[in-house]
Amino acid sequence: MSSNFRISRAFKNAKRICFNADSKFVFFSDSHRGNNGFADDFARNRNMFKHALEHYYNNGFTYIELGDGDELWENRRFERIFRANKHIYMWLKKFHEENRLHFIWGNHDMKYKNPATIRKNLHYYYDSVSDTKKELLIGASFSEAIFLEDENTGKGIFLLHGHQADWFNYVFWRLSSFLVKVLWKPLQILGFSDPTSPAQNFKERIKVEYKLEKWIQENNNQMMITGHTHRPRFPDKNEIPFFNDGSCVHPRSITGIEIENNEICLIKWHIITKENGTMQIIRTVLEGPESLTHYMQ
């Protein structure tokens, strides 16, 4: 099974969501929410991510997570992930209750292909204060891909994690998960990187991006937004319409993509130190905004 076949199958079966000029979307991926241990790369950005979610919720955005939200390769028990990130899940719950939350599964949370895993991990949580089980994300929507369709033109944006172009991490994701859990997680604590990950291996990243670009070119320059490689991408108007929202585990920031007023931009949330010595989380626009009409064919 080729990467082209996997990407095309995801496109054909993608969940369809209509949008218009009033729609607002924010895309993050590759949070790799962990258990706050030494190997948890998300831990340093946890509060920054929570602040960003709060901003988007209060400003009427729909949140779409493009895969690898929960780090299910390194962590056997989701309960530990939840305890370390409860305030994050409470904000996700707010989005979910207003039908403003959609998940795409990636390779590190590919277990969410199974509805039983979604029910086990995300439908309820244990509240230690009241000693009761409470509702969390009952009916949460997980898809391999999403197609955002302009309700006026029928043109759209193809959303997926991007590991469909990564043969080893798609076909052999169970083996990859095992290797990360028993081998690379302990070595990561000592400073070693996983050579099979395109986020850590430059050559693998180039291969994945090339395959995704090739698919776009062979499919009428279909606009695409992915994650997986952790490298933000925002093309010029005359380039292949291939976007990447980056990741939420950069050393000192998180990156994402916003769509508002039919315009798209690449953004970064990071911490600055003010003159009085206090620290502040701010949002910075890295690229754009540009009209979607430049990219949607």
Side-chain angles (χ1 to χ4, degrees):
M1 185 190 303
S2 67
S3 61
N4 184 74
F5 176 85
R6 292 191 294 270
I7 298 168
S8 296
R9 182 180 60 185
F11 181 74
K12 179 181 178 181
N13 298 325
K15 175 182 177 180
R16 304 184 86 83
I17 299 175
C18 290
F19 75 97
N20 54 42
D22 296 324
S23 301
K24 299 180 182 181
F25 296 100
V26 58
F27 310 95
F28 286 125
S29 72
D30 299 276
S31 297
H32 297 278
R33 291 182 287 269
N35 63 2
N36 202 31
F38 288 112
D40 183 1
D41 292 329
F42 181 66
R44 58 178 171 255
N45 294 338
R46 182 181 296 117
N47 290 327
M48 194 187 308
F49 184 79
K50 177 261 181 186
H51 181 75
L53 283 185
E54 185 175 354
H55 165 84
Y56 292 118
Y57 175 81
N58 290 333
N59 285 276
F61 281 75
T62 292
Y63 175 53
I64 300 182
E65 191 162 84
L66 302 183
D68 285 3
D70 294 338
E71 181 48 73
L72 301 183
W73 281 12
E74 293 183 0
N75 301 282
R76 290 181 173 87
R77 296 182 58 189
F78 174 77
E79 293 84 357
R80 294 178 179 176
I81 298 176
F82 177 81
R83 285 200 298 268
N85 300 281
K86 182 178 178 179
H87 58 319
I88 301 295
Y89 292 101
M90 291 300 102
W91 278 103
L92 293 177
K93 185 174 187 291
K94 289 177 179 287
F95 280 96
H96 180 60
E97 290 172 344
E98 297 187 10
N99 197 30
R100 291 197 276 144
L101 178 66
H102 305 276
F103 292 107
I104 286 175
W105 44 261
N107 49 310
H108 281 252
D109 55 4
M110 209 155 169
K111 290 182 179 179
Y112 287 140
K113 288 176 63 176
N114 186 347
T117 303
I118 300 173
R119 290 193 297 269
K120 177 184 176 183
N121 287 0
L122 297 174
H123 278 199
Y124 296 92
Y125 73 97
Y126 172 71
D127 181 43
S128 58
V129 176
S130 62
D131 193 27
T132 58
K133 189 165 68 171
K134 293 186 175 181
E135 292 185 0
L136 185 59
L137 302 176
I138 295 179
S141 170
F142 276 85
S143 311
E144 181 175 9
I146 292 173
F147 186 77
L148 294 181
E149 183 175 358
D150 188 319
E151 62 183 25
N152 295 314
T153 67
K155 298 177 181 178
I157 308 168
F158 183 26
L159 312 174
L160 75 168
H161 182 59
H163 66 303
Q164 291 81 1
D166 185 348
W167 174 77
F168 190 80
N169 282 304
Y170 190 97
V171 178
F172 295 108
W173 70 271
R174 293 185 186 277
L175 175 60
S176 297
S177 175
F178 174 77
L179 292 175
V180 166
K181 195 171 298 181
V182 303
L183 179 61
W184 293 115
K185 181 178 179 181
L187 291 177
Q188 182 183 8
I189 297 172
L190 299 176
F192 292 88
S193 298
D194 178 1
T196 68
S197 169
Q200 306 290 343
N201 186 315
F202 178 75
K203 290 183 179 180
E204 288 300 317
R205 184 166 60 211
I206 294 299
K207 289 180 183 178
V208 169
E209 291 176 349
Y210 170 76
K211 291 175 182 177
L212 291 168
E213 287 182 331
K214 184 179 179 182
W215 186 91
I216 292 171
Q217 290 177 302
E218 293 176 351
N219 288 269
N220 301 316
N221 267 356
Q222 170 61 57
M223 181 181 177
M224 179 190 292
I225 305 176
T226 70
H228 188 54
T229 65
H230 293 203
R231 178 162 76 160
R233 288 177 62 107
F234 194 95
D236 290 333
K237 290 178 284 188
N238 60 343
E239 294 180 328
I240 298 171
F242 174 37
F243 294 76
N244 191 302
D245 62 5
S247 84
C248 296
V249 291
H250 298 297
R252 291 170 295 277
S253 66
I254 63 176
T255 57
I257 286 177
E258 297 174 4
I259 291 177
E260 184 177 8
N261 299 321
N262 269 343
E263 294 182 324
I264 186 169
C265 63
L266 176 69
I267 53 88
K268 175 175 76 171
W269 290 85
H270 56 113
I271 296 175
I272 63 169
T273 304
K274 301 173 71 175
E275 291 185 0
N276 63 5
T278 60
M279 304 179 78
Q280 181 182 7
I281 300 172
I282 66 168
R283 169 188 169 276
T284 298
V285 177
L286 299 177
E287 299 283 352
E290 292 285 352
S291 172
L292 287 175
T293 58
H294 294 151
Y295 303 102
M296 291 195 305
Q297 301 299 317

